[in-house]
Amino acid sequence: MDSKPVVPAAASDEDLKRGPLVCAAGVVKSYGPVKALDRIDLHVDAGEFVALLGLNGAGKSTLFQLLSGLFVPDAGSITVNGADMRRNPVEGLRGLGIVFQDATLDLDLPVSTSLHFHAGLRGMARAVASERMMQELGRLGLTDSAGTIARKLSGGNRRRVELARALMHDPTVLLLDEPTAGLDPMVRRDLLSYVRKLCGERGLGVLWATHLVEEAEGADRVMVLHRGRVVESAPPAAILQKAGKPSLSDAFLSLIEPRTPPAAGAAVERAAS
Ligand SMILES: Nc1ncnc2c1ncn2[C@@H]1O[C@H](COP(=O)(O)OP(=O)(O)O)[C@@H](O)[C@H]1O
Ligand SMILES: [Mg+2]
């Protein structure tokens, strides 16, 4: 499990500034009787690529909603860029970029209109926004798409535009919630390696949610989320070693399979078949 100490809920603002880029301590969130997140501790450091690996329903999107301040946890604390998201969400969001699970690009607008609108929401001057937009689109090979109506772009390029939008204000932290869902394997690999490189080049801290084990294999650290609980948080090699499994896929399955022995009747049934 994660051995790094989490920043205590009562830390001073100065303590928080020296801590990880993203930090959650004892986070709980329920929807009625469903406990979507149960005492989650996590941290993401500068330059670190953390894969949040979990099946559908594990709680990944709920965690992202809390980290990005859309909802407030029932219990526990979250800090982003040293700012407590309960007390000072505006400060936290200043350095946060996010790509949501569902596409949030207005398909009827030219790419540049969407990106300028978002930059405006973040208080960026138009000239600065234009420059940053073209830098980010250019790096993603989309210079010629700035004037294109989003609907005309491929699924992969729409996702790339969302990524460019999330990076325009130079965040220190990037949250991506299943960013490759519905994309073909080539585009998936390309997006993953692009974001992976950003960690080294810009010291960006990344939390990449996925249910695909292969996307977690190259992560600095894998956090396995299962039924709202973190059941493992370690580099991939350490997870393999600890689980005594030859692949991350096998290790992942061993972590999320029920650990209780089968009922006596089930064992007899299997023996008889
Ligand atoms: N708005 C909601 N209302 C009720 N239950 C929800 C809501 N959002 C998520 N859940 C439940 O919380 C759990 C975690 O869901 P989610 O965070 O979407 O998981 P993931 O993103 O890993 O697929 C699931 O059991 C889901 O059904
Ligand atoms: Mg989800």
Side-chain angles (χ1 to χ4, degrees), residues 31 34 36 55-62 101:
Y31 296 106
V34 177
L55 302 177
N56 287 337
K60 304 181 294 298
S61 294
T62 302
Q101 178 165 356

Short mmCIF file of all heavy atoms in Angstrom, two decimals, residues 31 34 36 55-62 101, ligand 1:
data_model
loop_
_atom_site.label_atom_id
_atom_site.label_comp_id
_atom_site.label_asym_id
_atom_site.label_seq_id
_atom_site.Cartn_x
_atom_site.Cartn_y
_atom_site.Cartn_z
N TYR A 31 -23.75 7.83 -2.21
CA TYR A 31 -24.99 8.20 -2.89
C TYR A 31 -26.09 7.38 -2.23
O TYR A 31 -26.20 6.19 -2.52
CB TYR A 31 -24.93 7.86 -4.38
CG TYR A 31 -23.88 8.63 -5.15
CD1 TYR A 31 -22.70 8.02 -5.56
CD2 TYR A 31 -24.08 9.97 -5.48
CE1 TYR A 31 -21.75 8.73 -6.28
CE2 TYR A 31 -23.13 10.68 -6.19
CZ TYR A 31 -21.96 10.05 -6.58
OH TYR A 31 -21.03 10.75 -7.29
N VAL A 34 -25.36 3.75 -1.31
CA VAL A 34 -24.15 3.30 -2.03
C VAL A 34 -22.94 4.11 -1.58
O VAL A 34 -22.90 5.33 -1.76
CB VAL A 34 -24.33 3.46 -3.57
CG1 VAL A 34 -23.04 3.08 -4.30
CG2 VAL A 34 -25.51 2.66 -4.06
N ALA A 36 -19.80 5.15 -2.56
CA ALA A 36 -19.00 5.18 -3.80
C ALA A 36 -17.51 5.28 -3.49
O ALA A 36 -16.69 4.72 -4.21
CB ALA A 36 -19.44 6.34 -4.67
N LEU A 55 -12.40 -1.23 -12.19
CA LEU A 55 -13.51 -1.65 -13.05
C LEU A 55 -14.56 -0.55 -13.12
O LEU A 55 -14.53 0.39 -12.32
CB LEU A 55 -14.17 -2.91 -12.46
CG LEU A 55 -13.29 -4.14 -12.24
CD1 LEU A 55 -14.12 -5.23 -11.58
CD2 LEU A 55 -12.70 -4.62 -13.56
N ASN A 56 -15.51 -0.70 -14.03
CA ASN A 56 -16.64 0.23 -14.05
C ASN A 56 -17.35 0.15 -12.70
O ASN A 56 -17.55 -0.93 -12.16
CB ASN A 56 -17.63 -0.16 -15.16
CG ASN A 56 -17.06 0.18 -16.52
OD1 ASN A 56 -16.18 1.04 -16.65
ND2 ASN A 56 -17.54 -0.49 -17.55
N GLY A 57 -17.67 1.31 -12.17
CA GLY A 57 -18.36 1.35 -10.88
C GLY A 57 -17.43 1.37 -9.69
O GLY A 57 -17.88 1.43 -8.54
N ALA A 58 -16.10 1.35 -9.94
CA ALA A 58 -15.15 1.32 -8.82
C ALA A 58 -15.17 2.62 -8.01
O ALA A 58 -14.83 2.64 -6.83
CB ALA A 58 -13.73 1.08 -9.35
N GLY A 59 -15.52 3.74 -8.68
CA GLY A 59 -15.55 5.02 -7.98
C GLY A 59 -14.62 6.06 -8.60
O GLY A 59 -14.45 7.15 -8.04
N LYS A 60 -14.06 5.75 -9.76
CA LYS A 60 -13.06 6.64 -10.38
C LYS A 60 -13.65 8.03 -10.68
O LYS A 60 -13.09 9.06 -10.32
CB LYS A 60 -12.51 6.03 -11.68
CG LYS A 60 -11.90 4.63 -11.50
CD LYS A 60 -11.36 4.07 -12.78
CE LYS A 60 -12.37 3.76 -13.87
NZ LYS A 60 -13.38 2.75 -13.52
N SER A 61 -14.80 8.04 -11.37
CA SER A 61 -15.38 9.34 -11.75
C SER A 61 -15.84 10.12 -10.52
O SER A 61 -15.73 11.35 -10.48
CB SER A 61 -16.55 9.14 -12.72
OG SER A 61 -16.08 8.61 -13.93
N THR A 62 -16.35 9.41 -9.54
CA THR A 62 -16.75 10.09 -8.30
C THR A 62 -15.54 10.77 -7.67
O THR A 62 -15.61 11.93 -7.24
CB THR A 62 -17.38 9.09 -7.31
OG1 THR A 62 -18.50 8.47 -7.95
CG2 THR A 62 -17.83 9.77 -6.04
N GLN A 101 -14.72 12.23 -18.34
CA GLN A 101 -14.99 10.94 -19.00
C GLN A 101 -15.85 11.15 -20.25
O GLN A 101 -15.55 10.61 -21.31
CB GLN A 101 -15.70 9.99 -18.03
CG GLN A 101 -16.04 8.65 -18.68
CD GLN A 101 -16.41 7.59 -17.66
OE1 GLN A 101 -16.35 7.79 -16.45
NE2 GLN A 101 -16.79 6.43 -18.14
N1 LIG B 1 -24.97 10.48 -9.35
C1 LIG B 1 -25.01 9.25 -8.82
N2 LIG B 1 -26.10 8.81 -8.15
C2 LIG B 1 -26.14 7.59 -7.59
N3 LIG B 1 -25.13 6.70 -7.66
C3 LIG B 1 -24.02 7.06 -8.33
C4 LIG B 1 -23.90 8.35 -8.95
N4 LIG B 1 -22.68 8.44 -9.54
C5 LIG B 1 -22.08 7.26 -9.30
N5 LIG B 1 -22.87 6.44 -8.59
C6 LIG B 1 -22.52 5.09 -8.11
O1 LIG B 1 -21.27 5.18 -7.44
C7 LIG B 1 -20.44 4.08 -7.77
C8 LIG B 1 -19.17 4.58 -8.40
O2 LIG B 1 -19.47 5.10 -9.71
P1 LIG B 1 -18.39 5.86 -10.58
O3 LIG B 1 -17.69 6.84 -9.73
O4 LIG B 1 -19.09 6.37 -11.79
O5 LIG B 1 -17.39 4.68 -10.96
P2 LIG B 1 -16.39 4.54 -12.20
O6 LIG B 1 -16.11 5.90 -12.73
O7 LIG B 1 -15.19 3.87 -11.62
O8 LIG B 1 -17.06 3.68 -13.22
C9 LIG B 1 -21.28 3.16 -8.65
O9 LIG B 1 -21.90 2.21 -7.82
C10 LIG B 1 -22.30 4.11 -9.26
O10 LIG B 1 -23.46 3.44 -9.61
#
